[in-house]
Amino acid sequence: MTRTEEFEQQRPLLFSIAYRLLGSVSEAEDAVQEAWLRYAATPTRPASVKSFLAAVVTRIAIDVLRSARVRREEYVGPWFPEPLLTDPYQDPARSAELADSLSMAALLLLERLSPLERAVFVLRDVFAFDFPEIASAVGRSESACRQLAVRARRHMDDGRPRFAADRREREELAGRFFAACRDGDVDGLRELLAADVQMLSDGGGKSPQWGSGVFGVDRVTRVLAASFPQLARIGAAVEPHDVNGQPGAIFRDRDGSVINTLALDILDGRIQTIRSVLNPDKLGHMGPVADAWTVVREVNEARRPGA
């Protein structure tokens, strides 16, 4: 097997590690590409290509994370990960861990950890690497990595989201939710939303968003029941699609360009949180991006009498 073939075999895993560490599709892809360049320049082949490449991409991601923290502290409004529609890495033996760690809620929880804690947690709890491999990846002793893992796990367990276990149940509820939104069905929405539901958006100061958020079943219901039919009037389409492993949707304008994504957190048969990513910088990997301000203007024009 050539080096290129060896690398391509590990690419899905490397991207999945980098994405969970960075919360960015573009930065994860850059980290994977840099890992390839370093692997291609290595004079000798490692005993374990998987361990070597995982360590390389982890070190690259840690360096990026340390510089990204300053940018995220200066970010305008809520910061959400770039939406990921499909995880390229699949492992039936760890499907639950992989799906749980991919959700927006879990990635936001990972943001609270230090870069080293985050790396150790992802490598150990999500991808089941051994501590000697993890120690090599992060440049710490095995005992230090065990302590980092304990601290990270404690932080994650304190705030870890608990989603409905039955995927079919989530998908069925999401289907009812989008149907009620499309029809402007206030009563139908009330049945599906938690009393303390919150609707949050990430526009990064580059797109319209819901201020600091919309909170409570009454306000969220009113916004949803009004906005979806208005979008339909200007030719926008809502495509139900998993977003970060959870039920969600992609919004497109009449030309098919991406307006935003929506991801739903579902717990105990109710929608707890609705997260929308509108920042155009975070949508480009999904295709052409619409101008959300133009969409808002078209909606406002459609509201005028006689329109």
Side-chain angles (χ1 to χ4, degrees):
M1 185 180 293
T2 67
R3 284 204 176 197
T4 301
E5 291 170 336
E6 289 173 335
F7 183 84
E8 290 302 321
Q9 189 176 63
Q10 300 301 327
R11 182 187 287 275
L13 171 64
L14 301 179
F15 174 86
S16 293
I17 292 172
Y19 176 78
R20 284 164 174 81
L21 291 177
L22 298 170
S24 165
V25 172
S26 56
E27 289 179 347
E29 290 174 343
D30 288 345
V32 171
Q33 182 61 25
E34 178 62 24
W36 159 247
L37 295 175
R38 296 188 188 183
Y39 180 52
T42 302
T44 58
R45 295 200 178 188
S48 169
V49 174
K50 175 183 175 182
S51 296
F52 176 85
L53 288 172
V56 171
V57 83
T58 297
R59 292 188 204 111
I60 293 169
I62 288 173
D63 289 342
V64 175
L65 260 183
R66 286 170 173 156
S67 63
R69 281 184 172 271
V70 175
R71 297 199 308 272
R72 291 176 189 178
E73 288 172 0
E74 299 172 348
Y75 196 80
V76 178
W79 180 93
F80 295 158
E82 288 184 14
L84 184 66
L85 303 184
T86 304
D87 187 358
Y89 179 73
Q90 300 296 322
D91 181 356
R94 301 193 63 78
S95 58
E97 292 87 350
L98 290 169
D100 182 57
S101 66
L102 192 63
S103 71
M104 288 256 178
L107 291 173
L108 288 170
L109 199 55
L110 280 170
E111 285 288 309
R112 303 179 188 178
L113 306 182
S114 71
L116 283 180
E117 287 173 339
R118 187 167 183 165
V120 170
F121 180 85
V122 167
L123 291 176
R124 180 62 180 172
D125 284 50
V126 180
F127 294 99
F129 279 84
D130 295 333
F131 277 108
E133 296 174 297
I134 297 171
S136 173
V138 302
R140 296 291 188 274
S141 67
E142 289 185 41
S143 61
C145 287
R146 291 180 187 276
Q147 293 174 358
L148 286 166
V150 169
R151 288 205 302 268
R153 199 172 294 125
R154 185 184 303 124
H155 287 308
M156 293 297 290
D157 287 343
D158 287 345
R160 186 188 297 274
R162 304 294 181 186
F163 300 117
D166 190 324
R167 182 176 184 82
R168 184 176 298 177
E169 177 185 343
R170 295 204 314 266
E171 291 175 348
E172 188 272 338
L173 191 150
R176 290 165 55 202
F177 167 78
F178 286 116
C181 288
R182 180 193 63 222
D183 297 338
D185 182 356
V186 172
D187 292 335
L189 286 169
R190 284 182 177 278
E191 293 179 3
L192 300 171
L193 299 175
D196 57 350
V197 63
Q198 52 185 340
M199 189 161 61
L200 309 169
S201 63
D202 173 352
K206 300 181 178 183
S207 288
Q209 59 189 70
W210 301 305
S212 60
V214 182
F215 304 94
V217 64
D218 291 337
R219 293 189 65 196
V220 172
T221 295
R222 287 198 298 270
V223 170
L224 292 173
S227 60
F228 273 66
Q230 290 167 354
L231 286 169
R233 288 184 65 187
I234 65 168
V238 180
E239 299 177 3
H241 199 295
D242 277 3
V243 177
N244 287 81
Q246 302 298 317
I250 306 167
F251 289 67
R252 299 184 185 274
D253 67 10
R254 64 168 64 90
D255 298 320
S257 297
V258 178
I259 302 171
N260 68 298
T261 61
L262 208 67
L264 309 177
D265 287 353
I266 297 172
L267 178 66
D268 297 330
R270 292 289 187 274
I271 295 170
Q272 305 287 327
T273 307
I274 303 169
R275 292 186 178 88
S276 176
V277 176
L278 293 123
N279 186 340
D281 295 344
K282 297 185 175 184
L283 302 173
H285 60 282
M286 294 188 291
V289 179
D291 182 349
W293 294 106
T294 297
V295 173
V296 169
R297 285 195 296 270
E298 290 178 353
V299 167
N300 290 334
E301 290 172 3
R303 288 174 178 167
R304 295 174 183 170

